[in-house]
């Protein structure tokens, strides 16, 4: 009796030693026995950490998580489960690493992907509570966090890294979830973000939650839209957007600003897989095949490259890639894009993601190429599938040195020992 009593005490002490959050903590210790009752079947919003006692990152998180629970007391519930001890139960929520933090609203949950600070946890929890409140009113809070949205959700914590430290051109909407004008703007903002993807980044920041950045940029009404110019960000590179609120207005403004800021593209020679891959990652890749250097000297080639450079500058806001290769150096590429059949120079524009291309049928002149590219930019022109249903392999070659070509030297043949008069018959 005595031994079993103390054995029970030792087991309890050993069990509590592995728990990060004791009964005095504001963090609720969750188990398979109370999880459904408290979390999935409850009415409250929960922030839940799935941890393992041996996990170093989990141990480091404890003070911030306790601070979070104190700050949210009476507003949002904060809990933690030893997912190493309760592997089978935790697996139903897709827990594969530690710590994993999820936000639960009843049976609905989504992963928390922000910074592991008390401030960031509080922001995420309050947003979830606000969304739940709006849902109960039959309304919807502005929500750009959907996987389908191309609008980037900004916070006080990620604003510097994503916006201020980037070289990209940004349009940022500072909104309030209760703002009617913000709700009206939301579908237009999302559509504009999709149309501008790969060219201009569109972000949205809930200024009622992330007040530090809203205050820094003197946001006093909602929605407020600000432009952060491409390149290094300074106070002079931020300006207010006062244009229309339709997606068309937003896209037009953004592209005009992009044209003012974006440099002309470099016309790059295809000499490796990397050079072609970089072009293929663009919305469209303009591929030119120029005559062999022996058929068109250095001055002739420079004239062609100058034409391409001027057109690259004209269409720079499209963010296309521009590459060229010498005739016959990339036979697989020429075959895949049906180039060279009518001589050189030749041009095709390829969408590497869709594996579609369009070939220049007119003259390889500034006017001819401009008409070809203008039609493509308006969605006109015939397209065909890339031959082989994949982008062709690139042959490694030496870059052009800018000089004229030289014919290969003929080998000298010594005829001194040949008797030309001897009758071989």
């Amino acid at each position: 009796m005595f031994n079993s009593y103390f054995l029970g005490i030792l087991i309890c002490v050993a069990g509590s030693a592995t728990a990060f959050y004791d009964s005095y903590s504001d963090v609720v210790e969750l188990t398979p026995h109370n999880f459904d009752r408290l979390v999935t079947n409850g009415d409250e919003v929960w922030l839940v950490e799935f941890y393992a006692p041996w996990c170093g990152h989990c141990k480091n998180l404890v003070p911030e998580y306790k601070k979070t629970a104190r700050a949210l007391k009476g507003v949002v519930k904060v809990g933690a489960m030893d997912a190493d001890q309760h592997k089978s139960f935790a697996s139903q929520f897709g827990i594969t690493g530690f710590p994993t933090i999820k936000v639960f609203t009843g049976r609905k949950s989504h992963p928390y992907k922000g910074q592991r600070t008390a401030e960031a946890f509080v922001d995420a929890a309050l947003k979830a509570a606000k969304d739940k409140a709006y849902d109960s009113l039959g309304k919807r809070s502005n929500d750009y966090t959907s996987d389908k949205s191309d609008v980037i959700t900004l916070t006080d914590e990620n604003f510097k890294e994503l916006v201020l430290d980037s070289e990209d051109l940004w349009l940022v909407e500072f909104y309030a979830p209760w703002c009617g004008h913000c709700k009206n703007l939301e579908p237009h903002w999302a559509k504009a973000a999709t149309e501008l993807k790969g060219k201009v980044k569109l972000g949205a920041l809930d200024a009622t939650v992330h007040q530090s950045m809203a205050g820094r940029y003197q946001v006093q009404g909602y929605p407020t839209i600000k432009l952060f110019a491409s390149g290094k960000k300074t106070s002079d590179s931020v300006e207010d957007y006062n244009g229309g609120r339709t997606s068309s207005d937003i896209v037009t403004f953004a592209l005009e600003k992009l044209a003012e800021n974006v440099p002309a593209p470099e016309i790059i020679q295809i000499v490796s897989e990397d050079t072609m891959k970089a072009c293929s990652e663009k919305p469209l890749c303009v591929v030119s095949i120029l005559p062999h250097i022996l058929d068109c000297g250095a001055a002739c080639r420079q004239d062609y490259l100058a034409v391409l450079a001027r057109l690259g500058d004209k269409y720079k806001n499209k963010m296309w890639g521009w590459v060229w290769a010498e005739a016959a150096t990339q036979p697989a590429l020429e075959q895949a894009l049906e180039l060279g059949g009518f001589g050189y120079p030749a041009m095709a524009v390829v969408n590497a993601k869709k594996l579609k291309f369009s070939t220049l049928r007119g003259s390889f002149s500034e006017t001819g190429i401009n008409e070809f590219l203008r039609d493509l930019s308006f969605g006109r022109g015939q397209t065909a599938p890339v031959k082989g249903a994949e982008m062709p392999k690139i042959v490694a070659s030496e870059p052009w040195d800018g000089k004229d070509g030289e014919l290969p030297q003929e080998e000298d043949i010594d005829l001194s020992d040949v008797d030309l008069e001897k009758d071989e018959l």
Side-chain angles (χ1 to χ4, degrees):
M1 182 75 174
F2 177 83
N3 289 339
S4 63
Y5 172 76
F6 277 99
L7 180 60
I9 292 177
L10 288 173
I11 291 173
C12 291
V13 170
S16 62
T18 62
F20 286 169
Y21 307 101
D22 54 38
S23 59
Y24 299 102
S25 169
D26 293 309
V27 178
V28 179
E29 189 70 22
L30 297 169
T31 69
H33 301 294
N34 66 9
F35 196 93
D36 287 340
R37 175 172 56 84
L38 295 178
V39 181
T40 56
N41 294 332
D43 293 327
E44 297 92 347
V45 173
W46 280 81
L47 191 68
V48 178
E49 174 200 3
F50 295 87
Y51 69 89
W54 44 261
C55 163
H57 293 299
C58 303
K59 294 176 183 178
N60 294 335
L61 181 63
V62 169
E64 287 296 307
Y65 206 61
K66 285 183 175 180
K67 192 189 302 183
T68 301
R70 287 196 300 271
L72 290 171
K73 192 172 184 179
V75 181
V76 171
K77 296 285 188 178
V78 178
M81 171 178 279
D82 183 343
D84 188 51
Q85 181 181 355
H86 306 296
K87 289 186 178 72
S88 178
F89 185 86
S91 66
Q92 66 180 291
F93 301 109
I95 307 304
T96 57
F98 308 112
T100 292
I101 299 161
K102 286 180 173 284
V103 179
F104 284 82
T105 306
R107 295 191 177 279
K108 295 180 180 179
S109 69
H110 66 267
Y112 170 82
K113 297 181 179 179
Q115 294 184 337
R116 293 173 182 172
T117 65
E119 291 81 1
F121 288 141
V122 168
D123 286 344
L126 290 178
K127 184 182 185 309
K130 187 183 296 184
D131 289 344
K132 183 176 183 295
Y134 273 100
D135 286 342
S136 68
L137 292 173
K139 297 183 178 181
R140 181 173 176 270
S141 167
N142 278 58
D143 183 10
Y144 293 113
T145 61
S146 165
D147 291 339
K148 297 180 180 179
S149 175
D150 292 310
V151 177
I152 299 169
T153 300
L154 299 171
T155 67
D156 283 340
E157 287 71 31
N158 67 16
F159 199 95
K160 181 178 183 298
E161 177 186 355
L162 295 182
V163 181
L164 302 181
D165 291 346
S166 79
E167 294 289 323
D168 299 307
L169 180 69
W170 278 81
L171 276 174
V172 177
E173 176 202 1
F174 296 83
Y175 71 90
W178 43 260
C179 161
H181 293 300
C182 302
K183 295 180 188 298
N184 293 335
L185 175 63
E186 182 180 352
H188 295 282
W189 196 247
K191 184 179 179 182
T194 299
E195 291 185 33
L196 292 167
K197 190 174 183 179
K199 302 173 185 176
V200 178
K201 291 187 175 180
L202 266 65
L205 182 140
D206 184 343
T208 65
V209 174
H210 307 285
Q211 298 178 6
S212 175
M213 282 299 162
R216 176 174 177 176
Y217 294 105
Q218 300 177 337
V219 175
Q220 298 177 339
Y222 309 114
T224 291
I225 300 172
K226 290 187 178 285
L227 170 80
F228 293 79
S230 56
K232 186 176 180 181
K233 307 295 189 291
T234 65
S235 57
D236 295 332
S237 64
V238 183
E239 63 178 90
D240 290 326
Y241 170 79
N242 296 310
R245 298 286 175 84
T246 68
S247 60
S248 177
D249 293 328
I250 297 163
V251 168
T252 300
F253 172 82
L255 292 179
E256 288 175 353
K257 288 297 180 180
L258 182 66
E260 294 174 8
N261 288 272
V262 71
E266 184 181 357
I267 314 300
I268 300 172
Q269 184 180 2
I270 305 171
V271 294
S272 66
E273 285 283 359
D274 288 341
T275 52
M276 189 62 201
K277 181 181 178 183
C279 191
S280 297
E281 290 173 349
K282 300 289 186 179
L284 292 177
C285 179
V286 182
V287 181
S288 297
I289 305 296
L290 302 183
H292 193 281
I293 194 65
L294 293 177
D295 297 325
C296 170
C300 168
R301 179 172 289 181
Q302 290 290 8
D303 286 342
Y304 284 132
L305 291 174
V307 168
L308 295 177
R310 287 194 295 273
L311 289 166
D313 183 60
K314 181 173 183 175
Y315 289 93
K316 64 181 180 180
N317 65 327
K318 301 293 184 182
M319 305 297 285
W320 295 341
W322 293 71
V323 293
W324 69 277
E326 184 176 76
T329 61
Q330 302 297 337
L333 181 65
E334 291 188 32
Q335 183 179 4
L337 304 182
E338 297 182 356
L339 294 170
F342 298 97
Y344 305 103
M347 173 182 285
V349 175
V350 60
N351 183 324
K353 293 179 180 178
K354 295 183 178 180
L355 292 175
K356 298 279 188 179
F357 74 96
S358 183
T359 305
L360 171 67
R361 299 301 183 189
S363 66
F364 196 97
S365 63
E366 191 157 350
T367 301
I369 297 172
N370 179 57
E371 290 177 355
F372 171 58
L373 297 179
R374 184 187 60 203
D375 286 345
L376 286 179
S377 67
F378 285 115
R380 298 195 294 263
Q382 293 183 338
T383 61
V386 172
K387 305 303 179 186
E390 63 178 358
M391 291 302 292
K393 298 294 183 183
I394 298 301
V395 179
S397 59
E398 291 296 321
W400 179 45
D401 60 7
K403 300 177 181 178
D404 282 315
E406 294 183 4
L407 288 169
Q409 278 201 322
E410 295 183 4
E411 185 179 352
D412 292 332
I413 301 174
D414 186 1
L415 300 177
S416 60
D417 295 332
V418 179
D419 188 354
L420 297 178
E421 297 181 358
K422 184 178 179 181
D423 185 1
E424 297 293 340
L425 299 176

